[in-house]
Amino acid sequence: MVTETGRPVVEVSDSELRDLGAASSVLSVRWSRVAEEARRAVGAAGEKALLRLLVRGGVPQVQHVAAESDGYGYDIDARRSPQEHAHLEVKSTTDPTRLVIHLTRHEYEVMVTDAEWCLVAVLVGGDGSAVNVATVSRKWLQSAAPADRDRGGRWESVRLEVPACAITPGLATETWRLVPDALLPRKAVWASEPSAPLTV
């Protein structure tokens, strides 16, 4: 059982699952307030680091819309001109070995209908800075999202492990680069090598 915000109603330990005889048949997903606060801190650090990179990269209009509402379906509105703007959904992590994201149904539906929507992965360092920034393929996200099988049920969020083939180093929409690659952190992570810098 989960609350309206998607949090488990109770925290169930592995020993409690074993007592129920379900440990071998149920994948244990544990939630704790401390872990949730840590995830939120990493998420906020990634968004702030990306905001700094966008400003440093010369994007003249940057708005942190997630600070106002979750209703947008993305975190940052970045605009260089009326023709060059992007709605950035930021997924942050501290794990350089693999990229695992959680995508909500609302984020997915905004992606499907909004040509300016872009998923940006930020590897956050111990000091809260961006160690790496990459873009995740929209086409891959659409192919990886689950399908509703019955009118009586619908998925609300999904956990996805993003393969290296769906990760492009740098920060780019399908039509323009938000920040020159030379200004972005270039550490090789998530089983990908940094590509040669592209011009803006």
Side-chain angles (χ1 to χ4, degrees), residues 113-131:
T113 60
D114 181 356
E116 312 307 328
W117 191 95
C118 183
L119 193 141
V120 178
V122 178
L123 178 64
V124 178
D127 61 355
S129 66
V131 176

Side-chain angles (χ1 to χ4, degrees), residues 34-90:
V34 172
E36 180 66 21
E37 288 171 3
R39 279 190 292 278
R40 287 184 187 274
V42 169
E47 290 175 17
K48 289 177 184 174
L50 186 59
L51 287 163
R52 287 190 298 270
L53 286 170
L54 290 166
V55 170
R56 195 175 91 210
V59 179
Q61 295 178 341
V62 178
Q63 184 179 2
H64 190 198
V65 297
E68 301 168 14
S69 169
D70 288 332
Y72 289 92
Y74 55 89
D75 300 307
I76 297 172
D77 186 342
R79 296 174 183 267
R80 181 166 285 156
S81 71
Q83 296 76 33
E84 294 180 326
H85 62 278
H87 299 144
L88 308 176
E89 173 57 31
V90 182

